[in-house]
Amino acid sequence: MFRSPRGTADILPADQPYWRYVESTAAELCERFGYGRIETPIFEDAKLFNRSVGEATDIVEKETYTFKDRGNDELTLRPEGTAATCRAYLEHGMHVLPQPVRLYSVNLPMFRYDRPQAGRYRQFHQVNLEAIGSPEAAVDGEVIEVAWRLFAKLGLKNLTVVMNSIGDASDRPAYIAALKKFYEPLQSQLCGDCKRRFETNPLRLLDCKKETCRPHTENAPHTLDFLSATSRAHWDELTSSLKALEIPFTSDHRLVRGLDYYTHTVFEVVPQEDGAQSTIGGGGRYDGLIEQLGGKATPAVGFATGMERIILNLKRQGVTVPGQRPIKAVVLHLGSGAKPHAVSLASSLRESGVTAVLAPGGKSLKAQMRYAESVGAAYALILGDDEVRQGVVAVKKMADGTQQQVAIGEAARALL
Ligand code: HAM
């Protein structure tokens, strides 16, 4: 027996209402904020992610699905949406459009070779949004507002926005020097990953969740203390606009995020309850990325959230979502002559907008009625040879067992 590959899941009919709910709520909200929908390919040139997400990040070091195709091109299954959206911005010359260009995606499959657990998969799906071409703190605020309103509109409660500013390339060297000075004497106490990070990507030392390293992060220097006046002004403007929007947030000096392209604002949305530690969404500003990918310097900011994590939290919090269309009518048929009439009755019911299925053939009336009950139909429509001869159908209301005869042509109307 085959099973779905480790870390992947089938999305079965019972779960589809959650997916549809998240997808339509996100699409409607993003469009209300002026974002246009974009879909990029599932795989891209491997170098795109190495250069953007960063060679020394967990994602590129350990988690990408990279392969050579038959033409010997090295490709990577997309682990995130920002790099591909920026690649599309450049490829399609979107810099000539009014800036910022606001783009969103929903239901986009992403692939990371992660250790699977609740809320962490190897194939997962993101809602992703990017506002490319504006340096304004108001646009960072807008992106955080979309994230916040999305979770609120979906009915999720008890979430917090956690934020930090990691400054830009000119703020970074002094901070990294201070951080290395702080960690220098602690090196022997660090986990293997952090020993490596000390050399390759010191900012990520702050991100380590291991017990050996966590206490040190508490006392590490704060990026906010190393911001230039301009970077500080950006942070101050953003935090005051969030206050004006009444979006609650806390700042955490350890938040640096796991992707290399961030500058200035970084933020995550996290559930408050104990045990539900998984970040539900995250994002930030990435003013250097477009230039790094070969475009001219273009500031940008964005956010992504995992649809599986949203659905997990919707279920945890008992949020009800609009259900799947229930089966309204089952058409029962008795006798070989009635069957083709039952087939065309079911078909005409559907044409009139009624969700209808045919009862399985070759079964007794009782067995067909049990079938109608088991699928939760509101009505059983019974056609035997007599009914066909008279041009009528018996309509049984399953809730109270009452039955009436109606003309076949009137059946759909009798059910509405
Ligand atoms: P990220 O924090 O790597 O950011 O991922 C965003 C969200 O995707 C996470 O908060 C989580 O909900 C979901 N996610 C990530 N990995 C997994 C996984 N293995 N299984 C299930 N869900 C997962 C980014 O991807 C950035 N591109 C966000 C961004 C957009 N920054 C700027 N613009």
Side-chain angles (χ1 to χ4, degrees), residues 59 63 79-83 110 112 114 117 119-130 257-259 261-262 268-269 278-286 301-310:
I59 295 180
E63 297 172 3
E80 61 99 53
T82 309
M110 305 286 165
R112 294 185 194 177
D114 239 333
Q117 50 185 280
R120 188 175 294 283
Y121 309 98
R122 291 183 175 170
Q123 176 176 333
F124 61 98
H125 300 75
Q126 281 185 345
V127 173
N128 187 78
L129 59 132
E130 314 291 353
R257 309 253 313 127
L259 305 95
Y261 47 62
Y262 292 113
E268 287 186 347
V269 184
S278 304
T279 303
I280 188 165
R285 180 161 276 287
Y286 50 95
V301 53
F303 165 78
T305 170
M307 295 175 74
E308 285 80 358
R309 287 205 193 160
I310 292 180

Side-chain angles (χ1 to χ4, degrees), residues 31-326:
E31 288 183 18
R32 193 154 9 118
F33 274 81
Y35 286 70
R37 189 161 178 163
I38 182 168
E39 286 176 37
T40 60
I42 282 185
F43 52 80
E44 297 273 352
D45 186 327
K47 290 195 282 298
L48 175 68
F49 301 110
N50 300 354
R51 212 183 286 172
S52 54
V53 174
E55 307 259 16
T57 57
D58 283 355
I59 295 180
V60 168
E61 263 184 357
K62 307 182 199 161
E63 297 172 3
T64 46
Y65 283 86
T66 297
F67 59 98
K68 279 211 166 124
D69 71 3
R70 288 168 197 274
N72 223 21
D73 286 332
E74 196 171 47
L75 300 167
T76 293
L77 298 185
R78 167 181 64 197
E80 61 99 53
T82 309
T85 307
C86 290
R87 194 265 309 134
Y89 173 93
L90 286 170
E91 183 170 339
H92 301 285
M94 293 191 214
H95 63 281
V96 301
L97 301 175
Q99 307 290 302
V101 175
R102 295 179 166 89
L103 298 167
Y104 81 96
S105 317
V106 277
N107 223 354
L108 282 198
M110 305 286 165
F111 304 85
R112 294 185 194 177
Y113 189 80
D114 239 333
R115 198 159 45 82
Q117 50 185 280
R120 188 175 294 283
Y121 309 98
R122 291 183 175 170
Q123 176 176 333
F124 61 98
H125 300 75
Q126 281 185 345
V127 173
N128 187 78
L129 59 132
E130 314 291 353
I132 306 177
S134 169
E136 283 184 67
V139 182
D140 304 48
E142 171 190 291
V143 166
I144 296 175
E145 188 188 355
V146 179
W148 187 251
R149 303 262 176 259
L150 171 62
F151 297 130
K153 213 162 173 250
L154 288 168
L156 290 177
K157 299 206 167 61
N158 303 326
L159 300 176
T160 314
V161 178
V162 183
M163 305 213 315
N164 193 17
S165 171
I166 56 172
D168 63 13
S170 59
D171 304 327
R172 203 68 56 82
Y175 178 71
I176 297 295
L179 190 65
K180 287 190 95 165
K181 194 162 163 221
F182 169 81
Y183 271 103
E184 185 87 65
L186 303 171
Q187 276 196 78
S188 60
Q189 301 169 37
L190 300 177
C191 74
D193 277 342
C194 281
K195 283 192 178 115
R196 218 162 19 88
R197 285 175 187 141
F198 183 84
E199 300 301 337
T200 58
N201 199 352
L203 204 56
R204 301 268 350 262
L205 288 164
L206 295 171
D207 208 24
C208 189
K209 308 286 186 292
K210 298 218 177 79
E211 284 190 6
T212 43
C213 308
R214 198 71 185 150
H216 304 312
T217 62
E218 305 275 346
N219 304 318
H222 292 199
T223 46
L224 285 179
D225 294 334
F226 288 79
L227 298 184
S228 65
T230 337
S231 301
R232 181 76 209 190
H234 187 274
W235 169 256
D236 290 340
E237 191 186 332
L238 171 60
T239 49
S240 23
S241 80
L242 291 182
K243 281 178 197 148
L245 289 166
E246 295 181 4
I247 297 175
F249 65 89
T250 55
S251 85
D252 183 345
H253 72 278
R254 291 164 306 185
L255 185 69
V256 290
R257 309 253 313 127
L259 305 95
D260 274 357
Y261 47 62
Y262 292 113
T263 53
H264 301 291
T265 315
V266 285
F267 71 96
E268 287 186 347
V269 184
V270 292
Q272 284 161 3
E273 316 97 79
D274 277 344
Q277 50 82 36
S278 304
T279 303
I280 188 165
R285 180 161 276 287
Y286 50 95
D287 288 349
L289 179 57
I290 298 261
E291 195 175 9
Q292 228 166 298
L293 296 179
K296 65 177 176 42
T298 308
V301 53
F303 165 78
T305 170
M307 295 175 74
E308 285 80 358
R309 287 205 193 160
I310 292 180
I311 291 169
L312 200 71
N313 281 280
L314 288 171
K315 289 181 177 172
R316 262 189 202 147
Q317 296 190 9
V319 177
T320 49
V321 303
Q324 193 155 21
R325 272 182 84 143

